[in-house]
Amino acid sequence: MKMGIVTGIPGVGKTTVLSKVSEILSSENRKYKIMNYGDYMLNTAISEGFVSNRDEMRKLPLSKQRELQLIAAKKIVEDAEKLGEDGLAFIDTHAVIRTPAGYLPGLPKHVIEILSPQVIFLLESNPEDILNRQKRDKGRIRSDYADINVINETINFARYAAMASAVLVGASVKIVINKEGDPTIAAKEIISSMM
């Protein structure tokens, strides 16, 4: 099984691009699984009574976020291994999470060593496009990212964090641009990098 971690800041279009990855791989009858790291963390956080929605997780104490990260990593690997040798596993997550206490690495040493991906993708887009996507997405609360300067800062921290995580496991880091209006281009680039 090959594992790729698809990272990007809120509003960059990770979920949309990964839905295109799913469409393409399904049409080719390939074995794959797309796993949202936040879903794994959220399910645990809700069942333990720590939060009631995804956006509250960024505001949890760092020690609690680290604990949830570790639990999620172990479960993701367990699910990915079921794909077998030829399977492709994709994880939808963040390289960094902006919290009231500063930036939290989304793929710290204790997590990246469990996941051990082949590629860490940095999905990026024009900061103005990201801001506009956030405004259109009424289902999420992203006011803590609703500023061009914060978006640019977060993109830079994500690059640093992805490279630092990659060094620990020998993964490559690839920047993929999510062009406004055509997520299929980014999806095809992600798939070709995993082959």
Side-chain angles (χ1 to χ4, degrees):
M1 172 268 304
K2 290 183 182 175
M3 183 177 291
I5 300 178
V6 180
T7 71
I9 76 166
V12 77
K14 289 183 310 301
T15 304
T16 302
V17 168
L18 284 169
S19 72
K20 291 295 180 186
V21 166
S22 180
E23 285 177 26
I24 293 165
L25 292 176
S26 290
S27 73
E28 296 174 356
N29 293 317
R30 297 193 54 90
K31 285 176 73 173
Y32 73 95
K33 184 168 181 74
I34 296 172
M35 297 164 279
N36 184 295
Y37 204 100
D39 287 349
Y40 282 79
M41 288 178 64
L42 180 63
N43 290 338
T44 301
I46 288 175
S47 70
E48 297 292 326
F50 301 137
V51 300
S52 61
N53 68 61
R54 178 182 307 277
D55 296 303
E56 290 177 355
M57 285 198 306
R58 290 194 303 271
K59 296 172 181 136
L60 285 172
L62 293 182
S63 61
K64 190 54 62 186
Q65 290 188 47
R66 286 186 192 107
E67 179 185 334
L68 292 169
Q69 285 176 325
L70 190 59
I71 293 167
K74 290 176 181 176
K75 179 66 175 147
I76 285 169
V77 169
E78 182 182 306
D79 289 351
E81 286 175 343
K82 294 174 187 171
L83 291 168
E85 204 173 293
D86 298 329
L88 298 174
F90 299 91
I91 302 170
D92 175 347
T93 193
H94 302 280
V96 293
I97 300 96
R98 189 168 183 260
T99 74
Y103 285 97
L104 174 68
L107 301 168
K109 183 178 187 293
H110 68 279
V111 169
I112 199 70
E113 288 179 342
I114 292 169
L115 297 175
S116 195
Q118 283 69 42
V119 184
I120 300 172
F121 296 97
L122 287 158
L123 190 61
E124 296 183 0
S125 195
N126 179 306
E128 289 82 10
D129 291 340
I130 293 170
L131 190 58
N132 289 331
R133 288 179 194 143
Q134 290 175 357
K135 289 176 182 173
R136 289 192 305 262
D137 187 355
K138 303 297 181 197
R140 300 291 304 275
I141 303 164
R142 295 175 169 156
S143 58
D144 50 341
Y145 287 95
D147 175 275
I148 292 293
N149 294 323
V150 169
I151 291 170
N152 280 318
E153 178 182 81
T154 307
I155 288 170
N156 286 328
F157 270 101
R159 288 178 176 182
Y160 310 145
M163 200 66 215
S165 296
V167 165
L168 296 172
V169 294
S172 63
V173 174
K174 182 167 182 65
I175 295 174
V176 176
I177 303 300
N178 183 18
K179 185 174 166 30
E180 184 67 25
D182 196 356
T184 304
I185 296 168
K188 287 179 178 178
E189 189 172 347
I190 289 169
I191 292 167
S192 70
S193 296
M194 291 286 288
M195 299 306 197

